[in-house]
Amino acid sequence: MTQRLPPSLTSLDTALAALLRGVDPVAPVELPLAEAAGCIAAGTPLLAAYPPYDIAAADGWALRADDLVGASSYSPLPLANLPVWVDAGDAMPEQCDCVLDADAIDVSGPLAQVLAEGLPGQGVRRAGSDIADGTPVVAKGCAVSAAALLLARVARVDSLSVRRPRLRIVNLPGATATTHMIAGIARAAGLDVSVHQAGARDAASIAAELDDSACDLLLTIGGSGVGRQDAVVTALAQRGDVIAHGIALQPGRTAAVGRLGKVPVVVLPGSPDHALAAWLALALPLIDRLSARRPRLSLTLPLARKIASGVGIAEIALLAQEQGVWLPLAVGEWPLQAIARAGAWLLIPGSSEGFGAGTPVDAYLLQE
């Protein structure tokens, strides 16, 4: 039997509330730094001061600034002893507080001569100037960024405690390009992603891949509509529970949500624009709950032109930031070129008719 959408669509708020009900954050895991990028920190160690002592920030001669007052090329200051040469990163010699360039010391004669004054701290990186004592690698509930990994590596931290939900993606034949897109986005968000291929588009083949034994969230991609070869919702009903099929969301109207045992399931359409919209509106909030992520940051800018929206359907607009305003690229239907160009997205509630030109709106960045 062919799948059918219900007579009335389920509101996005209702579907999302049902999907999130009873979902708790996953347990933290300890991951090596190479695997922690993008994951959500579950509590990180406090770092010791770095550098632990004053070090040279440049190659040159290590000296004491107070000993160089008045030195210039017109009035060279002779030195009784040749100063210590340091390379960048070397510990500063005792009582030395500046580093002069190589040509600031004339060593051609019998006595070394200083040809320039120095300032305290010149060419020196002070103890704790890069990392203050007690600095966390990254705040709890925030994504582990490249900058956070730099701090950890410099401080010689080998691993981090993070929350990394396990995502199982079931790809249906014909939706491979969309699956690659969603899997790439999910991996960049720090999820542990495994992709599985349904052998065919019939309900039995799809149901065989609906396995909740080793995942915290399951996505299917493709087969959510009412075509003759669409059967993923039927397969989900056979193996688990369908909470809602047909969401008042544009794009993404044929998306569905359900459960397989205790594992939440999001059924994404096979079309890239509909799948991405359902990912943003349904899967992202679920992933944030599983990761115990802090609320996502939004950027408020005025709209370059108005956005019209129909009441009763939540719509997602793709935006690009241009000259301090949000430029709407697509609403409701998204050409692939708009997806490629977009830098942010805006959810227009089903109760809204849209926003006028110049209205400040809060948009979420596609890449934070």
mmCIF file of all heavy atoms in Angstrom, residues 167 169-172 174-188 193-197 219-222 268-272 275-276 279:
data_model
loop_
_atom_site.group_PDB
_atom_site.id
_atom_site.type_symbol
_atom_site.label_atom_id
_atom_site.label_comp_id
_atom_site.label_asym_id
_atom_site.label_seq_id
_atom_site.Cartn_x
_atom_site.Cartn_y
_atom_site.Cartn_z
ATOM 1 N N LEU A 167 25.086 8.726 15.408
ATOM 2 C CA LEU A 167 24.039 8.910 14.405
ATOM 3 C C LEU A 167 24.115 7.803 13.367
ATOM 4 O O LEU A 167 25.161 7.586 12.750
ATOM 5 C CB LEU A 167 24.204 10.271 13.713
ATOM 6 C CG LEU A 167 23.338 10.527 12.488
ATOM 7 C CD1 LEU A 167 21.860 10.517 12.842
ATOM 8 C CD2 LEU A 167 23.728 11.851 11.825
ATOM 9 N N ILE A 169 22.603 6.711 9.816
ATOM 10 C CA ILE A 169 21.887 7.211 8.644
ATOM 11 C C ILE A 169 21.581 6.032 7.729
ATOM 12 O O ILE A 169 22.478 5.249 7.386
ATOM 13 C CB ILE A 169 22.718 8.261 7.874
ATOM 14 C CG1 ILE A 169 22.966 9.498 8.744
ATOM 15 C CG2 ILE A 169 22.007 8.661 6.585
ATOM 16 C CD1 ILE A 169 23.825 10.550 8.068
ATOM 17 N N VAL A 170 20.315 5.908 7.355
ATOM 18 C CA VAL A 170 19.912 4.881 6.397
ATOM 19 C C VAL A 170 19.586 5.575 5.082
ATOM 20 O O VAL A 170 18.656 6.383 5.006
ATOM 21 C CB VAL A 170 18.695 4.082 6.911
ATOM 22 C CG1 VAL A 170 18.251 3.071 5.854
ATOM 23 C CG2 VAL A 170 19.037 3.371 8.213
ATOM 24 N N ASN A 171 20.373 5.269 4.075
ATOM 25 C CA ASN A 171 20.209 5.877 2.757
ATOM 26 C C ASN A 171 19.382 4.961 1.868
ATOM 27 O O ASN A 171 19.654 3.766 1.770
ATOM 28 C CB ASN A 171 21.592 6.112 2.138
ATOM 29 C CG ASN A 171 21.502 6.603 0.703
ATOM 30 O OD1 ASN A 171 20.700 7.460 0.393
ATOM 31 N ND2 ASN A 171 22.316 6.031 -0.175
ATOM 32 N N LEU A 172 18.374 5.536 1.229
ATOM 33 C CA LEU A 172 17.588 4.773 0.267
ATOM 34 C C LEU A 172 18.136 4.989 -1.135
ATOM 35 O O LEU A 172 18.672 6.063 -1.442
ATOM 36 C CB LEU A 172 16.120 5.207 0.320
ATOM 37 C CG LEU A 172 15.235 4.466 1.338
ATOM 38 C CD1 LEU A 172 15.706 4.712 2.759
ATOM 39 C CD2 LEU A 172 13.781 4.861 1.153
ATOM 40 N N GLY A 174 18.690 6.240 -4.632
ATOM 41 C CA GLY A 174 18.211 7.459 -5.265
ATOM 42 C C GLY A 174 18.435 8.707 -4.441
ATOM 43 O O GLY A 174 18.196 9.813 -4.929
ATOM 44 N N ALA A 175 18.882 8.552 -3.193
ATOM 45 C CA ALA A 175 19.077 9.720 -2.321
ATOM 46 C C ALA A 175 20.535 9.878 -1.904
ATOM 47 O O ALA A 175 20.831 10.547 -0.913
ATOM 48 C CB ALA A 175 18.189 9.608 -1.086
ATOM 49 N N THR A 176 21.453 9.300 -2.676
ATOM 50 C CA THR A 176 22.856 9.260 -2.257
ATOM 51 C C THR A 176 23.475 10.644 -2.140
ATOM 52 O O THR A 176 24.209 10.930 -1.181
ATOM 53 C CB THR A 176 23.672 8.397 -3.241
ATOM 54 O OG1 THR A 176 23.122 7.082 -3.265
ATOM 55 C CG2 THR A 176 25.132 8.324 -2.815
ATOM 56 N N ALA A 177 23.197 11.539 -3.084
ATOM 57 C CA ALA A 177 23.794 12.879 -3.027
ATOM 58 C C ALA A 177 23.337 13.618 -1.773
ATOM 59 O O ALA A 177 24.134 14.277 -1.092
ATOM 60 C CB ALA A 177 23.423 13.677 -4.282
ATOM 61 N N THR A 178 22.058 13.487 -1.453
ATOM 62 C CA THR A 178 21.536 14.126 -0.241
ATOM 63 C C THR A 178 22.160 13.510 0.999
ATOM 64 O O THR A 178 22.499 14.213 1.960
ATOM 65 C CB THR A 178 20.012 13.985 -0.190
ATOM 66 O OG1 THR A 178 19.439 14.599 -1.341
ATOM 67 C CG2 THR A 178 19.450 14.644 1.060
ATOM 68 N N THR A 179 22.336 12.194 0.993
ATOM 69 C CA THR A 179 22.944 11.512 2.141
ATOM 70 C C THR A 179 24.363 11.995 2.373
ATOM 71 O O THR A 179 24.778 12.225 3.520
ATOM 72 C CB THR A 179 22.924 9.991 1.921
ATOM 73 O OG1 THR A 179 21.568 9.552 1.862
ATOM 74 C CG2 THR A 179 23.638 9.265 3.051
ATOM 75 N N HIS A 180 25.137 12.156 1.320
ATOM 76 C CA HIS A 180 26.505 12.666 1.462
ATOM 77 C C HIS A 180 26.495 14.056 2.091
ATOM 78 O O HIS A 180 27.325 14.373 2.944
ATOM 79 C CB HIS A 180 27.201 12.710 0.099
ATOM 80 C CG HIS A 180 27.700 11.373 -0.364
ATOM 81 N ND1 HIS A 180 28.545 10.590 0.386
ATOM 82 C CD2 HIS A 180 27.460 10.681 -1.507
ATOM 83 C CE1 HIS A 180 28.818 9.466 -0.273
ATOM 84 N NE2 HIS A 180 28.170 9.497 -1.424
ATOM 85 N N MET A 181 25.544 14.895 1.675
ATOM 86 C CA MET A 181 25.461 16.250 2.228
ATOM 87 C C MET A 181 25.156 16.209 3.725
ATOM 88 O O MET A 181 25.848 16.851 4.537
ATOM 89 C CB MET A 181 24.377 17.054 1.501
ATOM 90 C CG MET A 181 24.141 18.446 2.089
ATOM 91 S SD MET A 181 22.722 19.317 1.348
ATOM 92 C CE MET A 181 21.345 18.340 2.000
ATOM 93 N N ILE A 182 24.138 15.464 4.116
ATOM 94 C CA ILE A 182 23.737 15.397 5.516
ATOM 95 C C ILE A 182 24.828 14.742 6.360
ATOM 96 O O ILE A 182 25.135 15.206 7.474
ATOM 97 C CB ILE A 182 22.408 14.644 5.669
ATOM 98 C CG1 ILE A 182 21.272 15.419 4.971
ATOM 99 C CG2 ILE A 182 22.073 14.417 7.140
ATOM 100 C CD1 ILE A 182 20.999 16.786 5.545
ATOM 101 N N ALA A 183 25.436 13.689 5.860
ATOM 102 C CA ALA A 183 26.501 13.020 6.614
ATOM 103 C C ALA A 183 27.686 13.953 6.829
ATOM 104 O O ALA A 183 28.285 13.978 7.913
ATOM 105 C CB ALA A 183 26.944 11.754 5.888
ATOM 106 N N GLY A 184 28.019 14.743 5.808
ATOM 107 C CA GLY A 184 29.120 15.697 5.953
ATOM 108 C C GLY A 184 28.811 16.764 6.989
ATOM 109 O O GLY A 184 29.680 17.125 7.816
ATOM 110 N N ILE A 185 27.591 17.280 6.972
ATOM 111 C CA ILE A 185 27.182 18.282 7.961
ATOM 112 C C ILE A 185 27.227 17.680 9.364
ATOM 113 O O ILE A 185 27.689 18.314 10.318
ATOM 114 C CB ILE A 185 25.775 18.807 7.644
ATOM 115 C CG1 ILE A 185 25.768 19.583 6.328
ATOM 116 C CG2 ILE A 185 25.257 19.696 8.766
ATOM 117 C CD1 ILE A 185 24.380 19.964 5.839
ATOM 118 N N ALA A 186 26.755 16.447 9.499
ATOM 119 C CA ALA A 186 26.715 15.798 10.806
ATOM 120 C C ALA A 186 28.124 15.546 11.344
ATOM 121 O O ALA A 186 28.385 15.747 12.539
ATOM 122 C CB ALA A 186 25.945 14.488 10.710
ATOM 123 N N ARG A 187 29.027 15.126 10.500
ATOM 124 C CA ARG A 187 30.407 14.884 10.959
ATOM 125 C C ARG A 187 31.063 16.189 11.382
ATOM 126 O O ARG A 187 31.799 16.241 12.369
ATOM 127 C CB ARG A 187 31.211 14.192 9.862
ATOM 128 C CG ARG A 187 30.783 12.753 9.605
ATOM 129 C CD ARG A 187 31.759 12.020 8.700
ATOM 130 N NE ARG A 187 31.350 10.630 8.500
ATOM 131 C CZ ARG A 187 30.727 10.174 7.428
ATOM 132 N NH1 ARG A 187 30.455 11.017 6.417
ATOM 133 N NH2 ARG A 187 30.383 8.909 7.327
ATOM 134 N N ALA A 188 30.807 17.258 10.630
ATOM 135 C CA ALA A 188 31.373 18.556 11.000
ATOM 136 C C ALA A 188 30.825 19.040 12.336
ATOM 137 O O ALA A 188 31.490 19.805 13.047
ATOM 138 C CB ALA A 188 31.073 19.588 9.909
ATOM 139 N N VAL A 193 29.148 9.285 13.027
ATOM 140 C CA VAL A 193 28.196 8.980 11.952
ATOM 141 C C VAL A 193 28.519 7.637 11.306
ATOM 142 O O VAL A 193 29.669 7.359 10.958
ATOM 143 C CB VAL A 193 28.226 10.083 10.870
ATOM 144 C CG1 VAL A 193 27.243 9.759 9.751
ATOM 145 C CG2 VAL A 193 27.913 11.442 11.483
ATOM 146 N N SER A 194 27.491 6.822 11.151
ATOM 147 C CA SER A 194 27.618 5.607 10.339
ATOM 148 C C SER A 194 26.505 5.621 9.297
ATOM 149 O O SER A 194 25.352 5.937 9.606
ATOM 150 C CB SER A 194 27.516 4.350 11.207
ATOM 151 O OG SER A 194 26.254 4.251 11.840
ATOM 152 N N VAL A 195 26.864 5.318 8.056
ATOM 153 C CA VAL A 195 25.913 5.361 6.943
ATOM 154 C C VAL A 195 25.657 3.945 6.454
ATOM 155 O O VAL A 195 26.595 3.172 6.238
ATOM 156 C CB VAL A 195 26.451 6.231 5.789
ATOM 157 C CG1 VAL A 195 25.461 6.249 4.626
ATOM 158 C CG2 VAL A 195 26.724 7.656 6.273
ATOM 159 N N HIS A 196 24.377 3.622 6.283
ATOM 160 C CA HIS A 196 23.982 2.287 5.855
ATOM 161 C C HIS A 196 23.052 2.404 4.656
ATOM 162 O O HIS A 196 22.250 3.340 4.567
ATOM 163 C CB HIS A 196 23.298 1.543 6.999
ATOM 164 C CG HIS A 196 24.131 1.467 8.240
ATOM 165 N ND1 HIS A 196 24.934 0.399 8.538
ATOM 166 C CD2 HIS A 196 24.310 2.371 9.240
ATOM 167 C CE1 HIS A 196 25.569 0.626 9.681
ATOM 168 N NE2 HIS A 196 25.205 1.821 10.125
ATOM 169 N N GLN A 197 23.154 1.443 3.750
ATOM 170 C CA GLN A 197 22.400 1.485 2.505
ATOM 171 C C GLN A 197 21.280 0.458 2.529
ATOM 172 O O GLN A 197 21.524 -0.742 2.753
ATOM 173 C CB GLN A 197 23.329 1.197 1.330
ATOM 174 C CG GLN A 197 22.652 1.150 -0.028
ATOM 175 C CD GLN A 197 22.217 2.524 -0.501
ATOM 176 O OE1 GLN A 197 22.930 3.503 -0.329
ATOM 177 N NE2 GLN A 197 21.042 2.593 -1.112
ATOM 178 N N LEU A 219 18.473 8.538 11.374
ATOM 179 C CA LEU A 219 17.904 9.305 10.259
ATOM 180 C C LEU A 219 17.721 8.372 9.076
ATOM 181 O O LEU A 219 18.595 7.544 8.785
ATOM 182 C CB LEU A 219 18.834 10.442 9.829
ATOM 183 C CG LEU A 219 19.143 11.598 10.773
ATOM 184 C CD1 LEU A 219 20.024 12.609 10.064
ATOM 185 C CD2 LEU A 219 17.874 12.250 11.268
ATOM 186 N N THR A 220 16.616 8.527 8.379
ATOM 187 C CA THR A 220 16.478 7.910 7.066
ATOM 188 C C THR A 220 16.406 9.037 6.047
ATOM 189 O O THR A 220 15.909 10.126 6.346
ATOM 190 C CB THR A 220 15.221 7.036 6.970
ATOM 191 O OG1 THR A 220 14.055 7.861 7.092
ATOM 192 C CG2 THR A 220 15.208 5.972 8.054
ATOM 193 N N ILE A 221 16.901 8.779 4.858
ATOM 194 C CA ILE A 221 16.926 9.811 3.819
ATOM 195 C C ILE A 221 16.334 9.238 2.543
ATOM 196 O O ILE A 221 16.839 8.256 1.994
ATOM 197 C CB ILE A 221 18.358 10.329 3.574
ATOM 198 C CG1 ILE A 221 18.922 10.913 4.875
ATOM 199 C CG2 ILE A 221 18.374 11.367 2.463
ATOM 200 C CD1 ILE A 221 20.334 11.440 4.750
ATOM 201 N N GLY A 222 15.241 9.864 2.101
ATOM 202 C CA GLY A 222 14.532 9.420 0.919
ATOM 203 C C GLY A 222 13.316 8.585 1.280
ATOM 204 O O GLY A 222 13.200 8.040 2.383
ATOM 205 N N LEU A 268 13.952 12.070 6.738
ATOM 206 C CA LEU A 268 14.216 13.212 5.872
ATOM 207 C C LEU A 268 13.817 12.884 4.437
ATOM 208 O O LEU A 268 14.064 11.773 3.953
ATOM 209 C CB LEU A 268 15.707 13.575 5.897
ATOM 210 C CG LEU A 268 16.327 13.925 7.250
ATOM 211 C CD1 LEU A 268 17.791 14.328 7.055
ATOM 212 C CD2 LEU A 268 15.561 15.035 7.933
ATOM 213 N N PRO A 269 13.218 13.829 3.722
ATOM 214 C CA PRO A 269 12.945 13.617 2.302
ATOM 215 C C PRO A 269 14.249 13.442 1.516
ATOM 216 O O PRO A 269 15.329 13.819 1.985
ATOM 217 C CB PRO A 269 12.204 14.891 1.888
ATOM 218 C CG PRO A 269 11.689 15.481 3.172
ATOM 219 C CD PRO A 269 12.704 15.119 4.210
ATOM 220 N N GLY A 270 14.145 12.896 0.312
ATOM 221 C CA GLY A 270 15.339 12.676 -0.495
ATOM 222 C C GLY A 270 15.833 13.911 -1.211
ATOM 223 O O GLY A 270 17.016 14.001 -1.564
ATOM 224 N N SER A 271 14.977 14.891 -1.436
ATOM 225 C CA SER A 271 15.382 16.118 -2.113
ATOM 226 C C SER A 271 16.330 16.907 -1.208
ATOM 227 O O SER A 271 16.052 17.070 -0.020
ATOM 228 C CB SER A 271 14.161 16.958 -2.450
ATOM 229 O OG SER A 271 14.540 18.213 -2.972
ATOM 230 N N PRO A 272 17.457 17.419 -1.733
ATOM 231 C CA PRO A 272 18.428 18.109 -0.876
ATOM 232 C C PRO A 272 17.847 19.280 -0.099
ATOM 233 O O PRO A 272 18.151 19.456 1.084
ATOM 234 C CB PRO A 272 19.498 18.585 -1.862
ATOM 235 C CG PRO A 272 19.404 17.649 -3.008
ATOM 236 C CD PRO A 272 17.955 17.296 -3.113
ATOM 237 N N ALA A 275 15.431 17.944 2.608
ATOM 238 C CA ALA A 275 16.191 17.245 3.645
ATOM 239 C C ALA A 275 16.936 18.225 4.533
ATOM 240 O O ALA A 275 16.957 18.085 5.770
ATOM 241 C CB ALA A 275 17.171 16.265 2.996
ATOM 242 N N LEU A 276 17.562 19.237 3.948
ATOM 243 C CA LEU A 276 18.314 20.209 4.742
ATOM 244 C C LEU A 276 17.388 21.010 5.655
ATOM 245 O O LEU A 276 17.711 21.267 6.814
ATOM 246 C CB LEU A 276 19.090 21.144 3.816
ATOM 247 C CG LEU A 276 19.943 22.221 4.508
ATOM 248 C CD1 LEU A 276 20.937 21.602 5.493
ATOM 249 C CD2 LEU A 276 20.673 23.081 3.473
ATOM 250 N N TRP A 279 16.398 18.813 8.467
ATOM 251 C CA TRP A 279 17.568 18.669 9.349
ATOM 252 C C TRP A 279 17.676 19.869 10.283
ATOM 253 O O TRP A 279 17.857 19.708 11.495
ATOM 254 C CB TRP A 279 18.831 18.536 8.500
ATOM 255 C CG TRP A 279 20.112 18.727 9.250
ATOM 256 C CD1 TRP A 279 20.782 19.896 9.450
ATOM 257 C CD2 TRP A 279 20.865 17.722 9.937
ATOM 258 N NE1 TRP A 279 21.914 19.699 10.206
ATOM 259 C CE2 TRP A 279 21.993 18.371 10.520
ATOM 260 C CE3 TRP A 279 20.728 16.354 10.114
ATOM 261 C CZ2 TRP A 279 22.953 17.695 11.262
ATOM 262 C CZ3 TRP A 279 21.691 15.668 10.853
ATOM 263 C CH2 TRP A 279 22.777 16.325 11.414
#
